[in-house]
Amino acid sequence: MSNSFTFDISTLSAAMPEIFLLSAIVVVLLLDLFLTKSFKQVTYYLTQLSLLITGLLAFNLINEPQTIIFGGSFILDNMASVFKVFMAGATMVALVYTRHYLTQHSLFRGEYFVLVLLSVLGMMVMVSGYSLLTLYLGLEILSLSLYTLIAIARQRAGAVEAALKYFVLGAIASGLLLYGMSMIYGISGSLNINEIANFASSSTLDSREALITNFGLVFLVIGIAFKLGAVPFHNWVPDVYQGSPTSVTMFLSTVPKIAAVAMLVRILVEGLGVMHAYWSDLFMVLAVLSIALGSVVALMQTNIKRMLAYSTISHIGFIMLGFVTGVITGYGAAVFYVLVYVLMSLAAFGVIILLNKQGFEADQISDFKGLSKHSPWFALMMLVVMLSMAGVPPFIGFYSKLFILQQVVSAGFVTIAVIAVIFAVISAYYYLQVIKSMYFEDTDKEVKVTAPMDMQLVLSINAVLILVVGLFPDFWMKLSVSLF
């Protein structure tokens, strides 16, 4: 491994997914300019092809030796490769659902798909970032793309308001994160994660250096907590989820969470892991507040997107508990949880989009009334998703919570585990509300499912996986732990 800039074959191969995706973005953007309205579907298919090839390139790099390139600012390891495969796959699934939504609401534009590809590129840079500067660069590419995606429905006041809220709050959080990074850089003299780790573990730190490092750490935690949507930095989550077009909400609530966890691992676990005793206390408070507030406030929601927003906040709390433990199995349980959450959330929003019709957003829990009578198969799919999110066995959502709680108890935080279980039981109520609407309430209007066959097929596979993966949870948990 060398910290010098060398552009040999190994350097290019380590960054090949990003290089290809950037090239694909340029091609898709330019080609879309010359496509007439009747050929706009070509942009969608090119986007899917680009993501497929990117995912295959990343998959091909799994189990390759760890490589640090570009002057120590970019790392290729198993965690990066596996996360990239999951991000490419999850985005492909999200776009299958998205195409139906965009068509129904007259939002089918080439720039939508270019922005999605740009956001994926930003996430991939975050996942492989091994320098504070690279991580911030990836974060800004992702954030700027998401700001624009949220506001893509310009004629909707709610979408523009959501974009402005996310932009203002996101800019403040990015500023705080950058301030924390500048303090760490100023005191350590390096942007490289490995060199920061060596500095933090130095036994010669004086009180001034320790104080500045701790201050920088606090700002880093605030920035990461905002990107995850943890309490008390969650104010943007419900408003943005509700105001955004449903397809954007689906994307925003799923794939970027993987990148945020990757950034957390790079900065706090790999860079400042020796200071775990300091940042784990902050994470413990944020996790308990997120689980409690997310579970309780969701009970009062009638808008299903807003309900899922508070549900997401609660899930983020569980993910953060995995990092509180300070052990590899705890980190692995957190990674397992976030991947399971992405799988469940995609299916949940997929069913919501399935019920959308031209000029109609199925975003109220009452819109699911009588779904079991008019479309029993997709009512069953939503039933599976809701039970899994509630943590009912044998669905995968149960095991994701179980593995986190096992690690929390093993680390000696029994009281925290009990609190998490209590609020997990409370949260089951709002998931049961959706099930009640589908199976026990009637509606005067007929609930028609008019989605294309590819969406119905992918959604069915998505929901079935929640059950099938739940039959072999240990395999996936061991895979998550092996990434560290």
Side-chain angles (χ1 to χ4, degrees), residues 163-223:
L164 283 172
K165 284 182 178 177
Y166 190 42
F167 173 73
V168 173
L169 293 173
I172 294 171
S174 293
L176 292 173
L177 181 67
L178 191 60
Y179 185 58
M181 288 179 172
S182 67
M183 293 182 78
I184 297 296
Y185 169 65
I187 198 66
S188 68
S190 176
L191 293 168
N192 182 268
I193 297 296
N194 187 52
E195 292 177 7
I196 291 172
N198 292 335
F199 169 80
S201 59
S202 172
S203 58
T204 59
L205 289 182
D206 58 35
S207 57
R208 172 181 156 277
E209 290 174 329
L211 180 65
I212 295 175
T213 304
N214 286 337
F215 265 107
L217 180 63
V218 170
F219 284 108
L220 290 176
V221 170
I222 291 172

Side-chain angles (χ1 to χ4, degrees), residues 128-446:
S128 282
Y130 208 57
S131 159
L132 297 182
L133 188 60
T134 312
L135 286 164
Y136 189 75
L137 175 65
L139 176 63
E140 287 307 295
I141 295 173
L142 168 64
S143 298
L144 290 171
S145 302
L146 291 178
Y147 299 151
T148 314
L149 271 176
I150 293 168
I152 201 161
R154 294 187 299 271
Q155 71 279 13
R156 300 185 192 177
V160 175
E161 180 186 346
L164 283 172
K165 284 182 178 177
Y166 190 42
F167 173 73
V168 173
L169 293 173
I172 294 171
S174 293
L176 292 173
L177 181 67
L178 191 60
Y179 185 58
M181 288 179 172
S182 67
M183 293 182 78
I184 297 296
Y185 169 65
I187 198 66
S188 68
S190 176
L191 293 168
N192 182 268
I193 297 296
N194 187 52
E195 292 177 7
I196 291 172
N198 292 335
F199 169 80
S201 59
S202 172
S203 58
T204 59
L205 289 182
D206 58 35
S207 57
R208 172 181 156 277
E209 290 174 329
L211 180 65
I212 295 175
T213 304
N214 286 337
F215 265 107
L217 180 63
V218 170
F219 284 108
L220 290 176
V221 170
I222 291 172
I224 294 171
F226 175 87
K227 295 304 176 184
L228 285 169
V231 175
F233 312 103
H234 68 288
N235 290 331
W236 64 273
V237 178
D239 293 337
V240 171
Y241 276 40
Q242 182 179 356
S244 304
T246 305
S247 61
V248 179
T249 304
M250 171 181 59
F251 183 69
L252 177 66
S253 70
T254 53
V255 194
K257 295 294 185 286
I258 302 176
V261 168
M263 183 170 70
L264 191 161
V265 171
R266 296 295 185 208
I267 295 178
L268 297 184
V269 176
E270 296 182 7
L272 297 170
V274 71
M275 301 182 68
H276 174 264
Y278 295 94
W279 58 260
S280 67
D281 289 343
L282 294 173
F283 265 46
M284 188 183 300
V285 174
L286 295 175
V288 172
L289 288 175
S290 299
I291 294 172
L293 185 138
S295 300
V296 172
V297 179
L299 298 174
M300 299 175 277
Q301 306 305 314
T302 56
N303 183 290
I304 194 166
K305 287 163 65 177
R306 203 170 180 87
M307 183 269 279
L308 288 173
Y310 284 105
S311 166
T312 297
I313 293 169
S314 177
H315 287 300
I316 290 300
F318 276 95
I319 292 168
M320 296 180 84
L321 281 181
F323 289 96
V324 169
T325 61
V327 294
I328 290 178
T329 48
Y331 302 151
V335 168
F336 176 74
Y337 197 109
V338 74
L339 296 179
V340 167
Y341 163 76
V342 168
L343 184 68
M344 295 186 300
S345 193
L346 280 173
F349 280 101
V351 176
I352 295 171
I353 289 175
L354 192 74
L355 298 181
N356 273 251
K357 294 189 260 312
Q358 194 160 2
F360 171 71
E361 288 260 8
D363 58 0
Q364 300 295 320
I365 294 176
S366 58
D367 292 329
F368 287 79
K369 287 182 179 179
L371 182 62
S372 62
K373 295 180 176 62
H374 300 286
S375 184
W377 174 250
F378 290 106
L380 178 62
M381 296 298 97
M382 194 61 162
L383 172 68
V384 168
V385 174
M386 291 294 105
L387 290 178
S388 182
M389 282 191 164
V392 176
F395 304 106
I396 192 64
F398 166 76
Y399 293 103
S400 62
K401 282 187 169 67
L402 177 65
F403 290 144
I404 287 285
L405 292 173
Q406 283 177 337
Q407 298 307 316
V408 171
V409 171
S410 298
F413 302 111
V414 179
T415 304
I416 301 297
V418 172
I419 293 172
V421 169
I422 291 171
F423 283 107
V425 172
I426 292 172
S427 69
Y429 175 78
Y430 52 80
Y431 297 119
L432 293 175
Q433 275 187 311
V434 180
I435 297 172
K436 175 174 171 285
S437 289
M438 293 190 300
Y439 284 91
F440 301 105
E441 294 181 6
D442 294 320
T443 180
D444 297 331
K445 56 186 179 182
E446 185 179 359

